[in-house]
Structure formats: C-alpha cells, structure tokens
Amino acid sequence: MFFNAKKKRYLTVKHDGSTLYEGYWADTPFAEEIIIKKSIEFFNDNEPCAIHRGAVHMRLLAELEGLFSTPDFQDLFCLYTNFPKDCETEFSEK
C-alpha cells in the first residue's frame, strides 16, 4: 500500500456500524498494557517516561506497517489496540 508523501495516512476503525477510532495512523491508540509490556521488552522499563512511550509507539507502528498486506496485520493490530478482532480498518490519505 503506497501513500502520497505530502499527505498523511488516516485510519478509520469500525465495528458493528460504529466508528471506534478515526484519526491519523501515527496517533493510533495502543493499549496501555502493550505499551508497558513492550517498554519492558525494549528498554527494561516498567514505568516508561514520555520518551520511551514515544519510542515504543513508533516501533509498534513500524511493526504493523510491515504487516499491512499480510493476514497477520488484523490480529496483531487488534491485540495492540484492544479493538475487537472483527473490527474493520480502512486507510485513506488526508
């Protein structure tokens, strides 16, 4: 999936006709327990500061971006965000 460099990737997450999230991909809300778990894994830090939180967030986005066109994307995306497993994700540019 390719995007125009001048536009930002926008994500809409829907479930049962309701919009659960609508915003820029870079602002995707990850579950707090995942942030803590990955902060421990990456930095051995169970109380991550803003810098470690930001680094974890960026690494999770990069990991998911590498899976965009694979069947694994949806499961991992839902695990990391706590959105329902049968949610719909739609990407666009804004």
Side-chain angles (χ1 to χ4, degrees), residues 44-81:
N44 197 28
D45 184 359
N46 63 347
E47 294 182 14
C49 63
I51 293 170
H52 282 173
R53 285 178 175 278
V56 168
H57 193 95
M58 289 176 56
R59 287 177 82 163
L60 294 177
L61 289 173
E63 181 180 354
L64 288 171
E65 285 173 3
L67 299 173
F68 273 156
S69 59
T70 71
D72 297 329
F73 171 79
Q74 187 71 19
D75 287 339
L76 199 56
F77 175 79
C78 293
L79 174 69
Y80 285 176
T81 59

